[in-house]
Amino acid sequence: MFYVMHKPFSSSSNAVNNFLGISQVSSVFGGFLADAYLGRYWTIAIFATIYLGGLTGITLCATMNTFIPKQDECDQLSLLLGKCEPANSWQMVYLYTVLYITGFGAAGIRPCVSSFGADQFDERSKDYKTHLDRFFNFFYLSVTIGAIVAFTLVVYIQMKHGWGSAFGSLAIAMGISNMLFFVGTPLYRHRLPGGSPLTRVAKVLVAAFRKRNVSFSSSEYIGLYEVPGKRSAIKGSGKIAHTDDFRYLDKAALQLKEDDANPSPWRLCTVTQVEEVKILIKLIPIPACTIMINVILTEFLTLSVQQAYTLNTYMGRLKLPVTCMPVFPGLSIFLILSLYYSTFVPLSRRITGHPHGASQLQRVGIGLAVSILSVAWAGFFERYRRNYAVEHGYEVSFLTPMPDLSAFWLLIQYCLIGIAEVFCIVGLLEFLYEEAPDAMKSIGSAYAALAGGIGCFVASILNTIVKSTTGNAEKMQPSWLSQNINTGRFDYLYWLLTVLSVINFFVYLYYARKYKYRSEQRIETTMTMMENKQNTPISMEAK
């Protein structure tokens, strides 16, 4: 966007944030298709092919001069001054088209891959929980290895051989990935799609509204409706026991005397359908509280790179490219996941007594707490870096590296946010898969992607608000996010994020303490039923 298409840095940053946001938010659509009609296998197969098509289009854009503006007489100074020939409208239309084709492909892959992998384990196995826990860690480790390769090998290819070769290598890698996926087809276990989850949700809401005036103590009330037998009326789903949460929704399952043998599904729903909606509602606050960590991750992707341009990136005699700096969170994730079972689990098991070291919600909480430390440190270091630049005469030359100030101070915030990701995102993926209804596993996983996408949008909105409210062109007052980082105040933005993260953390603690796992609810329901049986007086006929 900046170096080739010659768009301003701020709009380039927002364009990337918006692209990431839209591709993640649209994961809900991919999850819906998988749960409703296609199943996870065919959703991955179709959207991975679309993704490959998008990558091929981006490769053509980077390879053929027709799709990019002229690069002649466009040095770094001309770029900064905005004097390079910008891309014309049709060139940007083409770039955005192939970008969003790629994003659309990702929207079908992202919510299904982790769920489809977890589907391969037999829930009747005694080691199911352990296998599932290890799978999600291994899954995120694989994602991290991909990120490490992207920020090292692909960046190296781009620097040595150009953008076309870099994007071309990604397209080839995706083609190999798709081939491996299809080769494994005979080995996979499949869950049947259960029909449209949105339609089932709509039926519950409509049925509850239609019976809003009916009382549970009405003489017309027979009981809560459920189909006979062990299986539910939803394909690929077991029955879900009734809970007392959101009692208003129970009215959708109120069976009245006036209901005939084949009632309309828009008037009478099963208990399982009602409980599905309850579960989806109860899950919302947990991924919603992870939006803040995604805002921090998004800001680090762009702001910390700008910081690195002003710092010494030499490691001995080796000068690391600034664009390689985001690899360090990936390296810290790789290290933490490698040591997770040998170090963290045994230590935390002694403290918590939990067989896996910490519950899923505890891991998400640990991640949110560490993310606060990460962004707080970023604020302290940025204040020191800016003051150093001003005191040593670098205020104007903001793209000149300061030889005595190492970029590796950024590693502290990078490593902390990497640790936060391990605990928060992996714990969240496992939590959503286990807690989501059987026929809505992909929708559950899409919640995590939705939180990531909203985080990207929030970062863009926050940046726009900060730029418009903190800068004043008439008074020559730069905004916090000035293109000249040495006159801006990135540290103020980091501290604002710290305050918001602390507030978000306490909100999360409230909802996490309030939440009851489905396994706990099943135990409570079973015990309640046993107590009711014991307290029920035996009739004379039964005697």
Side-chain angles (χ1 to χ4, degrees), residues 407-418:
F408 294 98
W409 285 105
L410 294 173
L411 296 192
I412 297 176
Q413 69 199 54
Y414 278 147
C415 291
L416 286 172
I417 200 64

Side-chain angles (χ1 to χ4, degrees), residues 482-500:
S482 169
Q483 184 138 312
N484 181 345
I485 187 175
N486 293 335
T487 58
R489 297 306 306 239
F490 281 23
D491 53 333
Y492 288 174
L493 178 64
Y494 283 140
W495 286 336
L496 173 62
L497 291 174
T498 304
V499 172
L500 294 175

Side-chain angles (χ1 to χ4, degrees), residues 71-122:
Q71 306 297 310
D72 302 336
E73 300 178 1
C74 183
D75 55 18
Q76 195 170 63
L77 181 61
S78 301
L79 266 176
L80 292 172
L81 296 175
K83 293 185 176 180
C84 294
E85 179 186 329
N88 60 42
S89 56
W90 78 264
Q91 288 171 333
M92 292 307 300
V93 166
Y94 176 80
L95 176 59
Y96 279 123
T97 300
V98 292
L99 269 178
Y100 283 104
I101 288 173
T102 310
F104 182 67
I109 301 168
R110 189 179 289 110
C112 296
V113 169
S114 61
S115 298
F116 186 64
D119 287 346
Q120 306 313 307
F121 299 100
D122 187 350

Side-chain angles (χ1 to χ4, degrees), residues 20 40 73 130 144 220 257 259 266 286 292 318 321 336 368 468 476 482 498 525 533:
L20 292 172
R40 283 184 267 281
E73 300 178 1
T130 302
T144 302
E220 294 292 311
K257 291 178 181 178
D259 293 321
W266 293 92
I286 304 302
M292 201 62 225
L318 177 65
I336 293 296
L368 294 179
S468 61
M476 301 294 289
S482 169
T498 304
T525 303
K533 283 183 179 180

Side-chain angles (χ1 to χ4, degrees), residues 219-387:
S219 58
E220 294 292 311
Y221 171 49
I222 298 174
L224 295 177
Y225 175 66
E226 184 56 277
V227 294
K230 293 183 178 181
R231 304 298 297 174
S232 73
I234 305 163
K235 285 192 294 183
S237 174
K239 286 184 177 179
I240 305 175
H242 174 258
T243 63
D244 291 328
D245 303 312
F246 305 109
R247 288 284 289 167
Y248 172 79
L249 293 175
D250 284 338
K251 292 192 174 184
L254 280 181
Q255 189 171 13
L256 306 178
K257 291 178 181 178
E258 63 188 63
D259 293 321
D260 54 28
N262 294 305
S264 165
W266 293 92
R267 178 173 175 79
L268 182 64
C269 302
T270 66
V271 169
T272 297
Q273 283 178 270
V274 173
E275 291 302 319
E276 276 189 332
V277 179
K278 289 182 183 180
I279 290 168
L280 289 181
I281 295 172
K282 285 186 285 188
L283 287 177
I284 288 173
I286 304 302
C289 287
T290 66
I291 290 173
M292 201 62 225
I293 191 175
N294 286 292
V295 173
I296 295 170
L297 286 165
T298 305
E299 296 288 19
F300 276 4
L301 273 176
T302 52
L303 302 187
S304 59
V305 170
Q306 278 186 273
Q307 288 176 293
Y309 272 115
T310 70
L311 302 170
N312 178 4
T313 59
Y314 274 93
M315 182 183 287
R317 293 185 178 182
L318 177 65
K319 181 175 174 29
L320 291 179
V322 169
T323 44
C324 280
M325 294 304 291
V327 76
F328 289 102
L331 290 173
S332 65
I333 292 171
F334 182 84
L335 183 63
I336 293 296
L337 286 175
S338 301
L339 299 174
Y340 185 82
Y341 290 103
S342 61
T343 305
F344 172 75
V345 172
L347 288 175
S348 57
R349 188 186 290 134
R350 293 178 185 177
I351 300 170
T352 64
H354 194 279
H356 302 299
S359 68
Q360 296 148 1
L361 290 179
Q362 285 172 338
R363 279 183 275 162
V364 173
I366 291 169
L368 294 179
V370 176
S371 72
I372 296 172
L373 298 178
S374 172
V375 74
W377 165 259
F380 282 116
F381 175 70
E382 172 55 20
R383 182 179 180 84
Y384 175 80
R385 188 211 61 79
R386 182 184 182 278
N387 290 342

Side-chain angles (χ1 to χ4, degrees), residues 159-194:
M159 293 177 67
K160 291 292 183 182
H161 304 287
W163 291 95
S165 298
F167 284 120
S169 67
L170 295 177
I172 292 169
M174 190 64 195
I176 295 170
S177 169
N178 289 3
M179 183 181 67
L180 289 173
F181 175 75
F182 289 122
V183 165
T185 298
L187 306 175
Y188 300 140
R189 295 174 79 234
H190 300 267
R191 283 185 183 270
L192 294 173

